Amino acid sequence: MTSPTLADRYGRVATDLRVSLTDRCNLRCAYCMPPEGLPWLPTPDVLSDEEVGRLIEIAVTRLGVTEVRFTGGEPLLRPGLADIVARAAALSPRPSLSLTTNAIGLDRRAAELRAAGLDRVNVSLDTLSPERFAQITHRKRHADVIAGLVAAAEAGLGPIKINSVLIRGINDDEAVPLLRFALEHGYQQRFIEQMPLDAGHIWSRSQMVTADEILASLEGAFTLLADPDERGGAPAETWLVAGYPGTPKVGVIASVTRPFCRDCDRTRLTADGQVRNCLFAREESDLRALLRGGGSDEELAARWQAAMWGKLPGHGINEPAFLQPSRPMSAIGG
Ligand code: SAM
């Protein structure tokens, strides 16, 4: 008998679990959250460390999940983060464990998280300019992010990937400097197309900086070569940057103009215990109610499987009937 998996009816199997640990954030990136913040999830609705740990255990030991990425909101704001990581690291088979973070405060936490079992981090950084950083995020924390990056490297949380969103008229001239910065420091640079997931619903296709534009900028300054490695379910399409030691790569996550839904291997758990089978799903499956109602591990696993079975073939962003999900990126877990 084969073991159960998180399969869908289109032949995809989810092995990569994104766990949102909070919907709160200490930045207010213009494409994500309004300057005044959002109504946060009420504390009783948020899964406890114990509840998150149990659901991760079910995903890994019963449903074939091999990779767990902690996100949010800002996951470093979750007091129990190191304990949650340690519990996941003790599972057998041990999943790979990573964190998507803005790195604010990581300078003080990197060694502790590494010791708890965290394997690596993805750090979001849209600009090399402290002034632009304040303009984009509404917070003067650029130096904290750089300190976090340095600490992550020192703690061995690599390979470190930098995720950048380019915004027209603000930082769309930074593709080349950001890649140079990453190459100099041994980070892997990735650019993300802006997606219709902002709380204010102000995303517009014409304002989005596209993969083609990003690649055109990069090709003006670097020689990019096809990456011979299998892409698999990875959201980033990658290229080798010629002429630099160690065959570094640069990636573009082009969810809008080059969708990769056919190979998607992701499943998502929100901070309030809802399974989402897609970033853009309009429906969720409530694991929290079942868990708090005394559901068994078998029942929780079965509900998770049913949620994934209903995954649509694509996110539909490019279809006329597309409707943005009601929850913004910060509440889903990016
Ligand atoms: N706070 C953490 C961080 O900054 O990485 C984790 C959560 S954040 C939502 C994850 C990633 O989503 C960040 O790299 C952020 O830039 C990206 N993001 C947020 N809103 C986005 C949008 N509308 N389109 C594309 N990327 C977005």
Side-chain angles (χ1 to χ4, degrees), residues 237-258:
E237 192 177 350
T238 50
W239 288 264
L240 304 178
V241 188
Y244 287 81
T247 54
K249 295 183 184 187
V250 62
V252 179
I253 301 176
S255 313
V256 181
T257 65
R258 303 179 183 193

Side-chain angles (χ1 to χ4, degrees), residues 25 27 29 31-32 70-75 100-103 122-126 163-165 192-198 203 329-330 333-334:
C25 193
L27 297 181
C29 301
Y31 48 78
C32 190
F70 299 102
T71 180
E74 175 43 52
T100 297
T101 174
N102 61 31
N122 288 350
V123 172
S124 303
L125 177 66
D126 298 338
N163 289 332
S164 308
V165 176
I192 309 179
E193 277 182 349
Q194 199 174 327
M195 294 179 271
L197 284 172
D198 57 301
W203 178 86
M329 180 74 126
S330 57

